[in-house]
Amino acid sequence: MSPAENEVHNRFLRLFTAHEPAVRAFVRRLVPMRADADDVMQDVSVVLWEKFGSFREGADFRAWAFGVARFEVLSWLRDRGRDRLVLDGEVALKLADESAELETRLTRQREALEACIEKVPAEQRELLMQAYQPAASIQQVAQGSGRSVPGFYQWLHRMRRALLDCIQRTLTQNPTT
Amino acid sequence: MSATLESLVHRYLDGTITADEMRRLNSLLQANREARREFAEWLNLDSALAMAAADWFPTEMKAAPVRAGEEESRRLVWLRWLAAAACVALCITGVWWWQAAQRTLATVTKSVGAGELAQGAAMRRETRVIGSGAVELVTARGVRLVIEAPAEFRLESAQRLRVLRGRLSADVPPTAKGFTVVTPSGDAVDLGTRFGVDVSASGAAEVHVFQGEVIAKASGSPTEQSLRGGDAVAMKSGMSTVRELRTAAFIQSGEMGELGAALTAGQRARAEAVQAKLRADPALIALLDFESGESQASAFRTVQGRWPGSRASEFVNVGDHLKLDVGGDREWPQLTLAAWVRLDQLGAPYQSLLHTDGWDNQRPGQVHWMVTKLTTMRLALRGNTLAPGSDEQEMFPDSKTSVLPDQGRWVHLATVYDSEAKTVRFYLNGRFDKETRQAIAHPARLGPARIGNWDRQDRKLSGRVDELLLLGRAMGDAEVRAVFEAGNPYR
């Protein structure tokens, strides 16, 4: 890379790394599984870098990246979602646009999770983190915890409910943080 | 309706939803904006949980810090144990631990002379060692790290770096608030800022905050300390002590590109060629490059110099110095002094580059070369006086320009004294700065001396000195410039 290209690449990396979590979460809201989001994100990051030349310096990188991600997700849903159980195209479109507007609130919710996870008893937290490891097998995690698979799913649903409640409570009590 | 939506969402998230249920979910979402908002929040929680899991480290690993050299054997024991273990739970832990170890936590964005880590290399959960040079990494959350050799470190997650030895500077964007550097003697938790950590071979660690706020906690100490921009502490055996800030001790991200470009352009060979020429100069008094074979009875650290794997002296504590006895008792009508230095901010009124011992009426012409509180370079010779009409603020020849740039970087300082022409000339980075005329100009006298301090009173130098030249003749402008250009580690 020439020094100028290197500089452009660094600028891209800085912006991309800063906004990657929001873009990933945006993609995640539209595809069924986390692994699908990883798939789409790979394409999104390549397209963002390829099109970075057309990104105007000082413009809103996140909004620009959401636009690129929206297009990639919709085409993914069309192509690879055909024989899978996925959101309808029209629903996905509405969700994409509405959830982009909600992004500030959703970012705060993601940030609030950290403190809520801390409140979960250590043993259960460990189990939850195992279940959310990339490519984790729920069957194995369930067995390891001594629960049946349906029992483990029930427990997981309760954990998610409790965490979302905690997040919403946190944000109601601290509307500005 | 909400309860139905919730259970459908859980099944959708788990991948256990049926075609029928998916149709119901789609029609609920199609019909109702509030349902879509709720759906977005559930999926958002799923993202956040996956992110937390990626940064998460199991408790038993947290409790047992891996020490240098132990890791390979630990891993072998671990694998053998795994193979033999009948316990399913342990197997699962092992499998996901292995999977987690494969994740890319950071990427090497620049490598300057660090053969072990090439640009573009992916950093995973593994211990890395660099013997020379420096690397710049960017973590998944955008933390920019420059790590200088010799160093041994390990990313435990995208938000957690364990440093067993070495120096690093970190530039942490708001998105990575909470980024933590773990050392054998304590932790530094970042609250959105720029800071440096220096871990010595003994495991003692220093935390220097350039900007923002960092929480420092010495291992075993019950209390945390909040450090702000300009603060620094040393952590050792559960104790924290306040230190002077040393910005120049850390290579910053901005320097890496220029250092890399110079190295690629072959600057090091050029610098060595000029050194070889100087060593053959009949007027050479001394050329210290701090490489092996020079063992002075002195107190200073040896650190990396301008080139990957090269050495320089570093002066940190009050009293640190390097003793030198060159030039004998003879008189030097002309004298050139030059050095590559990397200076911190001034903590004291004077910092010594080279002070001959004492300051004796009986030894006119003895040399004191220093940086003053005015941040100028000064060459003082005992018994010399300024020519009438000179604009010096004190009684000695000073450079016009400050020798301290905003950030600690390598700079080349030179001064040329000529007792016959009665002049002192100063050069900064090869550029002629100023000439001061002397009324009385004794020939220069050297002999026993100290670099980095004075034997009478502390005149501590704070920073690194690489390649110090004493030459018994006057270098011309072009020659000083050539020495600077050949030895410049930046491009």
Side-chain angles (χ1 to χ4, degrees), chain A residues 71-98:
Chain A
F71 184 84
E72 291 298 316
V73 174
L74 290 175
S75 77
W76 185 91
L77 286 173
R78 259 197 320 277
D79 303 343
R80 268 181 276 180
R82 198 169 293 160
D83 44 352
R84 300 263 310 271
L85 298 174
V86 299
L87 296 175
D88 286 346
E90 215 179 312
V91 172
L93 209 59
K94 285 184 179 172
L95 258 171
D97 297 342
E98 289 167 9

Side-chain angles (χ1 to χ4, degrees), chain A residues 7-169:
Chain A
E7 188 43 45
V8 172
H9 191 239
N10 281 349
R11 197 158 62 84
F12 173 75
L13 271 179
R14 269 196 291 282
L15 286 164
F16 181 69
T17 44
H19 295 286
E20 198 260 358
V23 179
R24 183 175 291 274
F26 174 86
V27 169
R28 175 72 193 99
R29 295 196 282 271
L30 306 172
V31 296
M33 306 300 286
R34 285 193 300 283
D36 301 331
D38 291 340
D39 251 13
V40 177
M41 269 312 280
Q42 286 205 339
D43 296 340
V44 170
S45 57
V46 170
V47 175
L48 286 174
W49 170 231
E50 280 172 1
K51 295 191 172 173
F52 190 58
S54 71
F55 174 73
R56 210 161 30 80
E57 190 158 3
D60 184 346
F61 184 88
R62 197 180 70 191
W64 178 67
F66 277 5
V68 170
R70 179 180 185 270
F71 184 84
E72 291 298 316
V73 174
L74 290 175
S75 77
W76 185 91
L77 286 173
R78 259 197 320 277
D79 303 343
R80 268 181 276 180
R82 198 169 293 160
D83 44 352
R84 300 263 310 271
L85 298 174
V86 299
L87 296 175
D88 286 346
E90 215 179 312
V91 172
L93 209 59
K94 285 184 179 172
L95 258 171
D97 297 342
E98 289 167 9
S99 80
E101 286 169 28
L102 288 171
E103 183 50 39
T104 312
R105 175 193 170 90
L106 294 172
T107 303
R108 282 169 51 205
Q109 290 195 349
R110 290 198 300 277
E111 287 166 359
L113 175 73
E114 205 175 326
C116 288
I117 285 187
E118 291 295 317
K119 292 179 189 159
V120 175
E123 214 173 294
Q124 302 202 25
R125 186 164 61 223
E126 198 106 351
L127 211 51
L128 186 65
M129 292 291 97
Q130 284 185 32
Y132 268 88
Q133 285 303 309
S137 152
I138 291 296
Q139 278 72 23
Q140 286 181 344
V141 180
Q143 270 179 9
S145 75
R147 287 181 173 87
S148 69
V149 172
F152 187 81
Y153 276 128
Q154 284 303 318
W155 171 83
L156 193 57
H157 298 176
R158 281 199 304 278
M159 287 300 293
R160 288 196 198 115
R161 176 80 258 173
L163 286 169
L164 192 60
D165 285 346
C166 167
I167 287 168
Q168 285 166 343
R169 231 181 6 255

